[in-house]
Structures are given as structure tokens and as C-alpha cells.
Amino acid sequence: MVKCDKKVKKMLCYCHSKEDFSQCCEPFLKDQKKPQSPLELMRSRYSAYVLGDADYGDRELIQEYAKNVTWLQLEIIEAFDTCVEFKAYYKENATIAMQHEKSFFVCEEGVWYYKEGTLYNTKIERNIPCPCGSGKKYKKCCAKT
């Protein structure tokens, strides 16, 4: 006789916070609560892009990315006050690329909004773990293709 395991397997959040999605970004995407900091807004925006959730944020941009891009990883470099610096890795066609940005946010009437960002022309470092999740170094994995 096979026993049924009643434990519910939790899904880690797309934003790589190592928290459960239902406790991290999902409440923001479902409009059940509002981000309380630029970091929470940045993470939830990334999750919206991963899911192609065009109702959360810039509809046209999210829809365009959803057609052409598979998001792989979000790396938060620094977060403070009204600014979050991050690297977002993605796969477009057969190529892995990265968006390195310092995003600026504004809080109006208790709600955080993305204001603008500064993009950096940064290359993916060869010796980092490959953003595809293979466990290999980038130079021995996706950089070879």
C-alpha cells in the first residue's frame, strides 16, 4: 500500500530571496499587499517579468519580454533608501545576457513606484556560477555556445 505524503511542497520565489513565493512576491502580484520598500518592489517587479504578469507594472514592456526572454536569476548588489542596484540574467534565443541597473524609486502617499534607472554596460564574468543553474562556471557552460 502506498502512503500519501500530505506535506505541501513550497515553491521558492522567482526573485531568489530564498523565501516561499506565497510569502514573498505573490501577495504583491495579487494586490493583497503593497511593497514596503524599494527592495520589495524590485523583487516583485522581477517576479512579474518572470511570470509575464502584465497587470503588474509596465504592461507593454512585460509583454514584450515575455515573448522573447526567459528570466534566469536576480542578483541584488545593493539596496538602500530609494535605490536598488541589481543584475538580472536572462536567456534570449540561445544567448545568456544580463541587465545591470541601478533603479531609483519614489514613495507617494505610502506607495512605492519605480522612477528611473541607470543601465550599466557590464559583461557576465567568466568565473561566476552559470546563470542557467547548471552548477558549472559560466565559462565552462553557456559562455561556450
Side-chain angles (χ1 to χ4, degrees):
M1 179 177 208
V2 177
K3 285 192 168 191
C4 180
D5 186 2
K6 301 216 183 230
K7 291 182 183 177
V8 176
K9 191 168 187 168
K10 297 186 180 214
M11 186 181 85
L12 291 179
C13 194
Y14 300 99
C15 75
H16 296 266
S17 65
K18 297 184 181 163
E19 293 182 36
D20 184 62
F21 176 63
S22 67
Q23 301 298 311
C24 190
C25 291
E26 186 177 39
F28 304 130
L29 300 180
K30 288 187 172 183
D31 204 23
Q32 295 169 340
K33 72 186 228 194
K34 299 289 183 198
Q36 298 299 301
S37 69
L39 180 58
E40 285 185 343
L41 180 57
M42 178 79 257
R43 288 186 178 283
S44 62
R45 284 171 54 89
Y46 176 81
S47 290
Y49 277 84
V50 170
L51 294 170
D53 187 347
D55 291 330
Y56 190 83
D58 187 335
R59 177 178 293 279
E60 290 176 22
L61 193 56
I62 290 174
Q63 287 174 333
E64 184 63 31
Y65 273 118
K67 286 185 222 171
N68 302 310
V69 167
T70 301
W71 293 96
L72 302 172
Q73 179 182 346
L74 176 67
E75 177 186 348
I76 302 297
I77 308 298
E78 184 174 41
F80 58 94
D81 298 332
T82 60
C83 172
V84 177
E85 183 178 350
F86 69 93
K87 292 178 181 177
Y89 298 88
Y90 59 94
K91 190 172 203 171
E92 187 170 18
N93 300 318
T95 304
I96 291 186
M98 171 186 40
Q99 178 178 336
H100 182 183
E101 180 176 328
K102 186 177 273 192
S103 295
F104 298 92
F105 300 85
V106 61
C107 187
E108 296 174 356
E109 298 180 18
V111 179
W112 285 99
Y113 297 96
Y114 173 81
K115 183 178 179 183
E116 62 188 2
T118 301
L119 291 172
Y120 297 101
N121 187 12
T122 306
K123 292 182 179 181
I124 300 174
E125 296 176 30
R126 294 171 36 82
N127 287 318
I128 68 164
C130 192
C132 77
S134 69
K136 299 177 184 176
K137 288 189 178 187
Y138 178 64
K139 68 182 178 186
K140 300 252 185 201
C141 190
C142 292
K144 289 174 36 174
T145 58

